[in-house]
Amino acid sequence: MITNDFKVLGCGDLIQVPSQKAEGGMILKKYIRLQEFGGSNRNDTPDRSSNSIVATLMGNAAQCNYSAGTLVKAALRFSIREYQGTWYQDIVVSEIQDLQHSVDPF
């Protein structure tokens, strides 16, 4: 798990997905794009956000709205899985806190 400060580049729409672990069989999910500070965010490269990631907010955290430019502290959990011969990496936000509207980061 990694905890770091990020800038929010954008958020996706809130969706409900089936979950065997959740009460009622559904859980809320939202994608969030986060950018690390520093890195190779140069203007002369085609991918100006090469130091950004797309992570998943689940449950109550998915109900929060973060606008572009918001500074957050997020704890990320990384996992990999294989599906039909192809490997995928999942990044899930386990904790997130808005640094601009908070005085006590975790």
Side-chain angles (χ1 to χ4, degrees):
M1 188 174 317
I2 294 174
T3 302
N4 205 351
D5 295 341
F6 298 93
K7 180 170 74 171
V8 175
L9 296 179
C11 280
D13 294 327
L14 185 65
I15 58 174
Q16 283 188 342
V17 294
S19 172
Q20 296 176 352
K21 297 179 183 179
E23 285 186 35
M26 299 296 276
I27 191 166
L28 297 172
K29 179 178 178 178
K30 179 190 285 188
Y31 294 106
I32 186 168
R33 188 168 175 205
L34 302 170
Q35 183 177 29
E36 296 178 296
F37 292 101
S40 62
N41 193 11
R42 300 179 359 201
N43 290 331
D44 60 343
T45 59
D47 181 10
R48 293 186 184 161
S49 299
S50 60
N51 56 340
S52 68
I53 59 167
V54 175
T56 306
L57 293 165
M58 309 272 301
N60 291 334
Q63 295 180 23
C64 298
N65 289 321
Y66 297 99
S67 58
T70 303
L71 301 178
V72 296
K73 179 178 281 288
L76 306 177
R77 183 175 36 110
F78 295 82
S79 61
I80 58 170
R81 59 187 168 82
E82 185 266 338
Y83 179 71
Q84 296 183 349
T86 304
W87 288 89
Y88 298 92
Q89 178 174 338
D90 297 320
I91 305 171
V92 177
V93 177
S94 58
E95 294 181 50
I96 189 166
Q97 185 172 22
D98 185 340
L99 293 178
Q100 295 170 322
H101 299 100
S102 174
V103 292
D104 186 28
F106 61 91

